[in-house]
Structure formats: C-alpha cells, structure tokens
Amino acid sequence: MAPKSVGPSSPESFLPLKAVHFHILLSLLDGPAHGYGVRHVIEERTGGAILLAAGTLYETLGRLERDGLVRETEVPDDLEEKAGSRWRFYEVTPVGRTVMSLETARLEADVAAARAKIPATG
Amino acid sequence: MWPPRGPRSPRRADRVTTERGLGVLRRLVLAAYPDWFRSRHGGDLWRFWEMQRVEPRYRGLRGWLRWQVEGAREVVSALVMRAGAGSGGNGRGAGYPKGEGMGMSGWVMDVRYALRTLVGAPLFTSVAVVTLALGIGSTASVFTVLDGVVLRPLPYPEAERLVRVVRTLEEGMTPKIGWPDFEDWRERTSSFLGMAAYTETDGTFEWAEGAEVIEGARASRDLFSVFGVSPALGRTFSEEEDRLGGPRSIVLSHGLWVERFGGDPDVLGRTVPLEGELVPVVGVMPAGFAFPDPADRFWVPLQGDQLLADVGLPTGTRTLFFLDVVARLADGIEAGTAQEALGVLAAAVDDEVGKQPRHRSAPVVTDLRESIVGDTSGMLAFLLAAAGMVLLVACANVAGLVLSRAAVRERELAVRTALGAGRGRLFRQLMAESALLSITAGLVGLLLALGLTELLLAVAPDGMPRLTDVRMSGTAIGFAALLTIVSGLAFGLTPAWRASRTEVAHGLTGGRSVSAGGRALRPQHFLVGLQVSLAVVLLTGAALLVNSFARLLGGERGFDAESVVVASVSPSESRYASPEEVETFYARLLERVRALPGVTQATSTWSPPLVGNDFFTSVNHEGVSREEEAERREVGTVIVRSGYFETNGVPLVAGRDFDSSDRLGEPMVAIVNEAMAREFWPGEDPLGKRFVFTGGLSGSADSFDKVFFPDGALTVVGVAGDVRRSDLAETPGPEYYRPHSQITWTFQYLMVRTAGDPADVSASLRDVVWSVDPTVPVDRVELLSARVSASVAEPRFRMLLLGGFAGLTCLLAMVGLYAIMTLAVARRTRELGIRLALGASGTSIVREVLGRGARLVGIGTIVGLGVAAGASRLLAGMLFEIEPTDPLTYAAVSVVVASVAVLACWIPARRAGRVDPVRSLQAE
C-alpha cells in the first residue's frame, strides 16, 4: 500500500521538527538503515538518553514517509547477507535533507542566542 | 559506526526467538495495532523486538520487568493509534492511510456490515434470535425468582444480623419455644441486641356488617425493634401491655388501616371490636411490613402468661411449646458463637428448673432469611440449572445455524480474503455478527423473561416464601446481560474462527466435490448430538417427576377427599365460655347441616387432613419407668367427633367410633391409628389397652392441668386406618383420636360429605351457621380435594417447569436435527443423483439417510441417558416411590426421542430418495 504524498509543501512548513523526527532523520543521513538500526544509532549517539520503542519508531517512520521526508529503499548490497532481505530499509529524500539543513540552521540560531546569555562552562 | 552490527554478542543475535520467547505482551501489541499498520510493519516490529530483547538492558529479573513494563506501554500507544486512526482526522497528528479505503472507524464499519448481512438473511436471523431469546428468557426468569426468594436480603435494616432461634432440630421434637424459657433467655443473654417472640393467631373482628376472621400475630413488645422498623403512626406495645392482665392494645398493618379506617391519621385511640372486646389502636405499621406472614394484618401483645391461663395452664409452665423466636445478633457476634452461648444459658436454666431430658432445650440459631427460605433455594437452584441447559441447547442450535451459514458464505468470505481482508478482520467481522445476534436475542429474551416471571409466579406453590419480593431487579438484568455475552461467545467463537481461515482457492471454486465430506459437517453433527443428549437428560428428569407426581396423587392417602367440604368455624370464646355451651352450639349446628339437601355426613374436628393444626402430646404405657419415659416421642393427637371416620372415608379396622357415652367426666377414651397400635402394642390387640399422658413429675413446676394432661388413663376403644395427615409423601406416624365431648375448643372445622355437587353445600354453609348464631364467622370454605391439590403444589410446580424445559429442548433439538439432515442431504445432491442414475432404489437411499440420522440420535440418546442416570440422583429427594434410575422411565424416554427423531428426519430422507438424477447433475 503506497503512501499518498501530501502534496507540494515547502520544507519550511516542517519546522520546527519534533525531537524524534530530528533524531531519526539524523540517523538516516549517514545512509539507509532499518528500524532497529536507527534505534541503535540514536541510543549510541545520545548515550542511552533516547531509546525508541518499536511502535514509536515505525509510526514516525511512517509519518516521515507520508510527508516525503524519507522513503523506502533497497537493501544495500553489503548488508544483503547480514541483515537479510526481510527488513525494510529507509533512506532520507532530498526534501528530507533540505528540511534537516533548515532545522540545523534554526537550532544553531537558537543555541547562539542562548550561548550569548549563558557562557559555556568548562 | 555504520551500519549497526546489532548487539555485541553474535551468538545471541543469531538465536531465533519464537513468538513465545518475546512474551504475550508483544503479541497483544501487534493485535492492538490497526490492520494497515500491522500489515505494513508487523514483520519489522517483530524482528525489532527480537533484536531488542537480547540487549543487556533486558537481562535478569530487572530486565525482564523492564521488558514487561515497556510492552505494556506499547500496548497503550498501539491502542491510542488505533483510536486515533478511527477518528478519521487528517491533521498532522493523525495516522497515515486507513485500510479498506472507506475512511471510517473499523468497529463502526464492522457493525454496519454485520447489520446489513443479518437483515439480508431474515429467516436465519429470526430463527437464531428467537431460539436464543427462548434460552436467555427462561434462564433469566428462573433467576429472577431465585433472586427475589433466595438471594435478596430481607427488607429490614442490617437484615443479615437477624436470626431465628429454635429449641432443637431433633426429629419428632417441636422446635418452638416455651414462654418462661423465652423470658429467661431474653433477660439473661448477652449475645443478642434484642430477642422477640411471636405466635400466629386469628382474630374475629365483629364489624358492623358482619364478623370477619383476620390473620395476625401475638408478638412480644420488642418484635418491631428487633426488626428495626418503627411504626408509621403511634407506637408499639409497652411493657405494661405485654404483662399478664395488662391493658388491651392492637397495632394495625398498613393495609388494614387503609381498608377499615380509610387511612385516617387520627386512628390512634379508636377501637376495633376484637373477640367481643373493644381494643384501642395504639399504632400503625408502615406499608410493606408484614411479619411473620405476608397475610398478617394486625399485632397484639403476646402476653405469654395470659395465653397460658387462657388454655388453663399455670403461669410458668415450661412445657407448652408454642412460640417462634427471632433475635438480632449483638455487634461482633456471629450465629455460631451466639448458639454456643445460648446453649450454655439454656442448659443452666433447664437445670435450675429441673427439666425432664425430653423437654430440655438445645437451642439452634440460624440466619433468619435461610430459615424462611428453607429448601426452596435447593429447588430453585435445580430449576436454574435446568433452564441453563435450555440455554446451552439454544446456543448449540444457533452455533449449528451459524456454522451452516458460514459454509454457505464461503464464496463471499473467500472473495474478501483475496481482496486483502486479513484473518483478524474477518474474525472481527463475524464476531460482530454474533454480537449483534446475541444482543438482539438478549433484549428479546429480557422481555420474554418479564412475561415468563409472571407465569412462574402464577404457578408457584402458595407455600413458597417471599414470592411477593420477586421482581425484575438490577441483578436479574445484569444476569441476563451476562448470559447474552456468554452465549454470544459460545455460539460465535468457533464458527468465526473457522470461517476466518477460509482457503481462498477452496472458497472460490465452490468447494464442491462428488462425495461432499462428512468431515465438513462434523461440528454440526456434534452440536446436534449434544442437543439430543441434553434434551434426553431433561426429558428423563421430567418423566421421573411426572411419574412421581402421579404416584403421589394416586397413592394411599388413607382418607377419601372426594366431595368433602371443609369450613372453619370460630365462635368467640367470650360468648361460649364453658365446654357445655360449645358442645351445644356444635350439636345444633351439625343437626342443621345434616339436614341440608345432598349432605350425607357431617362432623367437626380440630384438625382435618392436610389443613394443619398438627398437635402432639407425649404419652406412654401405664406405669412405665422414668428411663423409658425419657425416650418416648411425642405422638400425634387429633380431636374429632363421632362420624369423623365415616365422613373422611377412614376405615375403622377394629372397635367402635366415639358415641354419646363418651362424655366429659366419664373415663377417657381414645381411638388409635394402626401405626400407634403397632408401635405401642406390637402383636397384641390394642382394644381395651390403656395409656397415660406423661407431662412430668407431679407437684413440680412442670405439672399439667386437666385440660391437656389430665390424671387418669385413656382406654383404647377403636383402631382406625393410617392417614397421611400433614404430607401426602410422609409415612403416617403414630397418632390417636380423642372425642370433642371430652376435650374441646371453640374453634373447629366443619367437614361435610355430599352426594351431589359440593359447591351447593359450600354456598349454603355460611347461612346455616348464621342461622344458629349470626355472630360466628365462617371462614376458609373449601373442598378437601382442593386442599389435596394444594398440598402437592410444590411437586406440581417442579414437574411443570422441568416438563416445560424438557419440551422446549426437545423441540429445539429436533429442529436442529431437521436442519442438519436437510443440509447434509443438500450437500450430497450430486452423489445421490449419481447413485439413483446408476440404479439405486429410492427406498434404499431413504433408509440410508434415516440410518445416518438414527446413528446421530442414537449416540446422543445413549450419552444423554448415561448423564441422566448420574444426574438423576439429584432428584432423589423429590421423587415419591420411584427410583431415579427407574428403567421403565428411561425406556419410555428413549422411545419418545426415537419417534420424534424419526419424524424430524423423515422429510429430508424422503427428499433424498426423490432427488432427480438429471437435475442434480446439472446443478452447479
């Protein structure tokens, strides 16, 4: 069942990104991955602070897919034997990349504003 | 590091987890997700969990707990997603594309589809609904009666603290309590907040328009406070009024107050003419209070000492047992403790007054509601079980219908599966249909139950306690709802499960083969067999009860009840104070009654058969030792007049009837029954033998007055046949008769035997009595045969109910049998057509079909008879002169079932034999 795309909407309309969306997109920026892989990466990157449950993860992936920020993709050749072809793999779409770069810029601006008031501690 | 290689330990990662390894919760989570989500991500979710499960976080006990907790959270979010998807919103928060493309919530769709399907098959739907409604209705109505009579608490505050106190439960000893004993217990006990005594009585009220006998009770002053009910008007009795010689007073029931005083709030102080005196009304009880009997309409002070004096006994007589006692348990004390404490107290009192062993009390304290309900709870529970079997048969019947229909819908279901409907979806769909069916049936059944309950109340024996408390309550409705849910699951689950597993190919090609598999119909065969078994069980029970009832009615009663009219006559004691006056009245009355046209015999007695007024005295041989005396039981005592035996058709097997020589002051005579003759004088001729009253040691507080236990012996002048006096099912015990001329009360029953229509005599009896004395009330004019019928009201009730249930289940089972035989034949049309074309005779086919049906019914019957043989032991207590395993009854049931079954199979069998070979082969 192919998801309907919502129709042309500007990347800006996706801002601000929810934290979960952000982290998932971030994980996928390195390359295609399956659901569990995304969870693992996020866990490592945040030092265990963010642990995605299966349902949350796939629900979000589904939304991102519907919104056109990620899409399903083929199993990468090098992972064919290891992970097998049973997993669904996802990758970021160009729109998704654009959204991420916009979001990153927004976050930078916010951090800079905060940093101006709160000096970094050693 | 990319791509993630998963958990560190390769060996663990390779391990294959089965569904079981991930726990129940994850399966629940999957089930909770909407279909479209599950079909898209289900596999990934499962693999995700497999990998997640072996992470270090989930090791050990804490890890396992963490796994469960997170699983529970996932269930919740899955349900939330499902609910969100159902709301049909399309904002950013909503889920993505819905399944089946209709944009509506899954549940609502299922119900609408189910409704369409059911409405589109009106015959199936109506049959299923009616069948199920019958089952639910019967069970719910029996439960309603059970709830009102047995389960519901008594309508008094904290009714569970109310108890009844009886003297003893020993066989042959009266459970009632004596007045001085009651007073002592009441004063000295600490186990009860309050203790009250009462005895039922009638009062003759001489209203302006005529005398009326009204039922009421003599009650000790604390009866109302023990129950915790305050009078609606005025007060209850004072201590003074309850004493010997105290002022008269009366408390009216609400109904009597409205009827006689028009509900006048100024009724207090007004008087009523009771037993020749004007008694002031001191209080009125609120509507709904009616203790001890629903028919009681007034209460007067007990005045126990006065009562003793009225019957000529000295104050303080402890061996006249006539009181019922109720009490309220003290806080923190249970019935068992109270019984022990009271036992110690009673023993102490008995010792103090030097009671005979036979008169000692062994008090028993029982819950008041239980004592009122008695055996009824057992009988009603039994009837509820029988009704439950009807429901079971109805469910089996409907399950068969649903299964057969599912087979018919194979094509539809296969198409839907091919188009992508998941198993879960189909299952839910079919369950929705079953749910709709059972809910509709539940509602119809509830309506049915309302009517059936009324019917039950109408045929219920008058003796059944608390019938007035029966009504459709919340509990009963809740029970009906429970039945609805359970039956919906019972008949819906298996067919839905099976149907949701339809093989697409099988369904689409029509699934017809030359020899239509009997295997396909196996569940329906089983269901029909089950129905037949249950029907047989109920039929056997009903047949046993019918048999027993017939024997009860036709059995040896010892008296002839045909054409005898009974009426109670109560001349007031103040007007007829001396025995001579009483005798004169009755002599004159009987003379006039005998002169009525059609009257062949007339007599009077204090205790006609089956009317009550059982009276026991203790007697023994002359000069018997104290030890033997201590073991003597009480013997039935009947006060009669000459002509009693003739009027009642009781044979005098030896000696003579009472006659005019047996007068007051002459030596006392008695006529004994055969049972007493056998027991007291085995092998001897009882005529001329003597026996004495044994009232106690003369000179002690227990000595008795002339009226009940005169000095001197009674001489046996005649022997009468045994009579089943109180219960047609009981073997008569020893009893003796004394003539009214030597011991008399004012209150007696007239007994009149007629040659013609007894109704004519009934009509004129009152006038005849009033021609002698117009102030004497005549009451309870009825036929003795009606009393006989009323005395077997309970067995009749059981028989009618069980018979009704048995008939219903038999009908349902046969309809089920017919349906499945028809279906089986229809499926075999091609095969039968071929066989007929190849030369088989129609008759042989008919025989074969009948044979299949016979096998099915045969197995069901054998199983049913086996179960019945075991279960009928439960009936043993209700059967009269017939064994629960009476072979003739079982044989009769088998014959009945066999014949009805042949009837049910006949039409399908004939149809099978008449299949047109040509057309059957063309049909596709």
Side-chain angles (χ1 to χ4, degrees):
Chain A
M1 225 174 300
K4 295 185 199 151
S5 55
V6 174
S9 29
S10 61
E12 287 83 7
S13 65
F14 290 103
L15 302 186
L17 272 180
K18 290 202 187 128
V20 180
H21 293 56
F22 176 82
H23 279 285
I24 292 179
L25 284 170
L26 184 56
S27 312
L28 291 175
L29 282 175
D30 284 331
H34 56 57
Y36 187 78
V38 171
R39 168 194 158 97
H40 189 73
V41 165
I42 295 178
E43 184 189 354
E44 281 200 346
R45 180 173 57 239
T46 61
I50 297 184
L51 285 164
L52 290 180
T56 317
L57 179 76
Y58 282 101
E59 192 181 346
T60 315
L61 276 172
R63 288 226 182 93
L64 290 172
E65 199 177 8
R66 179 197 65 186
D67 294 340
L69 302 183
V70 309
R71 64 174 167 236
E72 213 179 309
T73 187
E74 303 261 315
V75 182
D77 297 323
D78 55 334
L79 293 176
E80 184 97 27
E81 327 167 352
K82 278 239 174 73
S85 51
R86 297 176 304 153
W87 286 98
R88 276 184 217 268
F89 275 75
Y90 299 87
E91 65 178 358
V92 186
T93 60
V95 177
R97 272 177 209 279
T98 313
V99 169
M100 272 306 277
S101 96
L102 287 172
E103 176 71 4
T104 311
R106 185 189 72 80
L107 285 170
E108 274 176 338
D110 283 348
V111 169
R115 212 17 106 225
K117 312 249 165 139
I118 311 163
T121 51
Chain B
M1 175 170 153
W2 193 258
R5 292 217 166 87
R8 319 251 170 228
S9 155
R11 227 168 267 152
R12 274 178 131 189
D14 291 338
R15 185 176 68 189
V16 172
T17 37
T18 60
E19 290 198 354
R20 220 168 283 264
L22 289 181
V24 143
L25 277 174
R26 294 309 184 288
R27 281 195 293 165
L28 260 176
V29 172
L30 270 186
Y33 274 120
D35 287 328
W36 52 267
F37 189 86
R38 185 169 51 246
S39 62
R40 181 152 175 71
H41 297 291
D44 278 354
L45 277 166
W46 204 262
R47 285 179 280 274
F48 186 106
W49 284 324
E50 282 177 344
M51 302 198 75
Q52 186 186 5
R53 184 65 176 94
V54 296
E55 286 176 15
R57 302 182 69 232
Y58 301 105
R59 284 197 210 136
L61 179 64
R62 289 185 67 181
W64 180 86
L65 277 170
R66 191 172 283 138
W67 180 251
Q68 304 308 325
V69 168
E70 287 181 15
R73 274 205 216 123
E74 290 214 51
V75 172
V76 173
S77 44
L79 289 171
V80 167
M81 178 193 289
R82 173 179 271 241
S87 71
N90 50 15
R92 291 194 70 192
Y96 40 114
K98 323 289 183 285
E100 316 256 1
M102 286 183 87
M104 263 195 282
S105 139
W107 298 113
V108 174
M109 260 180 51
D110 284 339
V111 169
R112 285 173 74 141
Y113 193 84
L115 199 58
R116 269 213 314 268
T117 317
L118 288 176
V119 168
L123 184 62
F124 162 80
T125 307
S126 41
V127 169
V129 167
V130 168
T131 306
L132 211 51
L134 282 171
I136 293 179
S138 353
T139 315
S141 63
V142 174
F143 180 82
T144 305
V145 174
L146 181 78
D147 179 52
V149 171
V150 178
L151 297 177
R152 207 175 296 158
L154 293 173
Y156 311 112
E158 288 183 67
E160 69 278 4
R161 306 296 292 165
L162 291 172
V163 293
R164 187 186 294 280
V165 180
V166 296
R167 184 169 76 103
T168 176
L169 289 177
E170 250 185 74
E171 182 85 41
M173 311 285 261
T174 174
K176 303 216 184 204
I177 298 182
W179 168 247
D181 282 345
F182 164 73
E183 276 189 303
D184 284 337
W185 296 357
R186 179 174 58 177
E187 197 188 305
R188 289 153 69 160
T189 185
S190 52
S191 313
F192 303 103
L193 290 178
M195 212 169 173
Y198 63 90
T199 181
E200 306 228 29
T201 186
D202 320 290
T204 308
F205 289 75
E206 293 123 2
W207 311 114
E209 57 273 19
E212 186 187 357
V213 174
I214 300 183
E215 289 184 33
R218 293 174 73 136
S220 67
R221 66 176 177 280
D222 27 21
L223 181 72
F224 308 97
S225 59
V226 164
F227 278 103
V229 181
S230 306
L233 278 182
R235 59 172 178 83
T236 57
F237 312 126
S238 67
E239 209 175 307
E240 227 199 313
E241 284 158 352
D242 205 10
R243 262 205 294 268
L244 179 65
R248 295 280 197 220
S249 58
I250 185 172
V251 171
L252 302 178
S253 75
H254 185 90
L256 189 58
W257 171 55
V258 167
E259 189 186 302
R260 280 290 161 182
F261 292 93
D264 177 12
D266 283 326
V267 67
L268 302 178
R270 290 174 61 177
T271 60
V272 293
L274 175 60
E275 300 282 335
E277 288 186 34
L278 290 174
V279 181
V281 176
V282 300
V284 177
M285 291 308 285
F289 181 81
F291 191 85
D293 192 277
D296 289 334
R297 308 183 77 197
F298 70 89
W299 296 268
V300 287
L302 180 59
Q303 288 190 353
D305 292 318
Q306 182 66 48
L307 216 145
L308 288 173
D310 285 344
V311 294
L313 290 170
T315 316
T317 302
R318 286 181 187 266
T319 47
L320 188 64
F321 305 109
F322 64 101
L323 289 176
D324 288 292
V325 173
V326 293
R328 183 177 281 277
L329 290 168
D331 293 329
I333 301 212
E334 290 314 310
T337 324
Q339 182 171 313
E340 270 181 52
L342 192 59
V344 169
L345 170 59
V349 169
D350 288 345
D351 287 335
E352 281 166 33
V353 301
K355 266 219 202 136
Q356 294 240 319
R358 193 183 58 252
H359 297 135
R360 292 179 74 90
S361 332
V364 178
V365 175
T366 51
D367 179 60
L368 184 62
R369 186 183 61 181
E370 266 177 51
S371 74
I372 292 177
V373 166
D375 293 326
T376 315
S377 56
M379 176 186 72
L380 285 175
F382 166 78
L383 287 173
L384 186 65
M389 289 215 269
V390 176
L391 181 59
L392 196 56
V393 169
C395 286
N397 209 308
V398 175
L401 282 175
V402 173
L403 273 174
S404 306
R405 201 158 157 269
V408 165
R409 294 170 69 192
E410 254 186 358
R411 186 156 228 165
E412 171 209 340
L413 295 172
V415 168
R416 291 182 64 199
T417 312
L419 287 181
R423 259 180 64 187
R425 188 77 212 241
L426 274 183
F427 180 79
R428 265 190 12 231
Q429 173 69 54
L430 293 163
M431 282 309 290
E433 282 179 32
S434 299
L436 266 186
L437 269 178
S438 64
I439 290 175
T440 314
L443 290 170
V444 175
L446 198 59
L447 285 174
L448 204 62
L450 281 171
L452 282 175
T453 308
E454 292 303 309
L455 190 64
L456 280 179
L457 290 177
V459 301
D462 287 328
M464 189 176 288
R466 301 187 70 193
L467 279 180
T468 45
D469 283 348
V470 174
R471 62 184 160 277
M472 184 72 69
S473 65
T475 320
I477 296 180
F479 184 76
L482 182 67
L483 290 176
T484 307
I485 295 171
V486 168
S487 47
L489 286 174
F491 74 75
L493 214 54
T494 311
W497 176 258
R498 289 189 74 212
S500 66
R501 303 174 76 202
T502 308
E503 295 286 336
V504 174
H506 187 256
L508 285 176
T509 57
R512 243 174 268 203
S513 46
V514 174
S515 62
R519 266 197 68 208
L521 289 182
R522 199 177 288 168
Q524 280 106 310
H525 280 117
F526 169 75
L527 287 170
V528 170
L530 176 69
Q531 292 176 58
V532 170
S533 307
L534 287 172
V536 165
V537 172
L538 285 182
L539 274 172
T540 311
L544 284 171
L545 285 183
V546 168
N547 218 320
S548 162
F549 184 74
R551 280 169 209 231
L552 191 62
L553 269 189
E556 267 305 307
R557 259 174 254 148
F559 62 94
D560 178 11
E562 287 312 307
S563 311
V564 175
V565 181
V566 183
S568 76
V569 176
S570 349
S572 86
E573 278 158 13
S574 48
R575 242 191 252 279
Y576 297 88
S578 72
E580 289 83 19
E581 285 174 298
V582 175
E583 275 303 287
T584 317
F585 168 77
Y586 277 104
R588 213 183 295 165
L589 176 58
L590 284 169
E591 203 185 303
R592 297 207 189 167
V593 170
R594 287 186 188 117
L596 283 176
V599 171
T600 53
Q601 323 267 359
T603 185
S604 74
T605 174
W606 202 63
S607 30
L610 297 181
V611 175
N613 286 0
D614 293 337
F615 187 77
F616 294 87
T617 58
S618 37
V619 298
N620 216 324
H621 301 290
E622 268 189 300
V624 99
S625 72
R626 282 282 155 250
E627 293 73 47
E628 282 180 55
E629 157 52 35
E631 283 170 43
R632 179 56 63 200
R633 265 183 7 170
E634 277 132 22
V635 167
T637 311
V638 190
I639 319 294
V640 300
R641 185 180 292 283
S642 71
Y644 172 86
F645 301 100
E646 261 183 309
T647 311
N648 277 295
V650 178
L652 270 173
V653 296
R656 64 168 178 86
D657 196 357
F658 298 126
D659 57 33
S660 50
S661 66
D662 308 314
R663 275 191 303 270
L664 194 63
E666 299 291 320
M668 291 184 295
V669 295
I671 296 176
V672 301
N673 74 347
E674 287 176 300
M676 180 165 178
R678 275 194 299 270
E679 193 176 314
F680 276 64
W681 304 279
E684 302 170 26
D685 179 13
L687 291 179
K689 297 282 191 298
R690 290 150 64 92
F691 60 94
V692 295
F693 293 110
T694 49
L697 301 166
S698 54
S700 78
D702 273 28
S703 70
F704 282 62
D705 194 54
K706 318 285 185 229
V707 173
F708 276 50
F709 299 103
D711 299 327
L714 300 98
T715 311
V716 179
V717 299
V719 182
D722 289 338
V723 166
R724 288 178 191 246
R725 179 168 306 282
S726 51
D727 187 343
L728 286 185
E730 256 179 45
T731 320
E735 61 184 13
Y736 67 93
Y737 301 83
R738 288 190 63 194
H740 262 298
S741 46
Q742 292 188 332
I743 170 172
T744 193
W745 278 262
T746 49
F747 172 89
Q748 296 182 24
Y749 282 92
L750 279 181
M751 300 194 72
V752 184
R753 178 175 286 278
T754 70
D757 186 2
D760 300 332
V761 171
S762 308
S764 26
L765 260 183
R766 274 202 173 86
D767 293 325
V768 173
V769 174
W770 288 335
S771 74
V772 179
D773 182 344
T775 68
V776 173
V778 181
D779 212 33
R780 295 186 219 141
V781 181
E782 57 182 343
L783 296 178
L784 191 58
S785 50
R787 291 299 318 173
V788 170
S789 178
S791 76
V792 295
E794 201 174 294
R796 184 189 300 121
F797 179 65
R798 284 195 294 257
M799 175 188 76
L800 285 176
L801 243 66
L802 198 57
F805 291 148
L808 192 56
T809 52
C810 198
L811 179 67
L812 287 175
M814 289 311 143
V815 168
L817 180 64
Y818 172 82
I820 205 213
M821 295 301 298
T822 309
L823 184 64
V825 166
R827 289 177 76 108
R828 294 174 62 198
T829 316
R830 281 192 80 196
E831 172 209 341
L832 294 172
I834 292 176
R835 284 174 61 187
L836 283 169
L838 291 179
S841 73
T843 341
S844 68
I845 299 223
V846 171
R847 252 205 305 265
E848 190 220 337
V849 171
L850 278 180
R852 290 197 186 196
R855 239 196 321 272
L856 184 57
V857 172
I859 297 176
T861 308
I862 292 175
V863 171
L865 288 176
V867 172
S872 62
R873 230 170 304 155
L874 293 170
L875 286 179
M878 303 183 206
L879 295 177
F880 178 71
E881 286 184 3
I882 185 172
E883 284 300 305
T885 48
D886 179 48
L888 260 145
T889 311
Y890 284 63
V893 168
S894 314
V895 168
V896 166
V897 170
S899 346
V900 183
V902 165
L903 218 65
C905 296
W906 182 242
I907 296 179
R910 242 179 39 164
R911 219 180 274 160
R914 296 228 187 120
V915 166
D916 181 347
V918 177
R919 286 180 56 195
S920 77
L921 287 167
Q922 287 174 343
E924 193 59 22

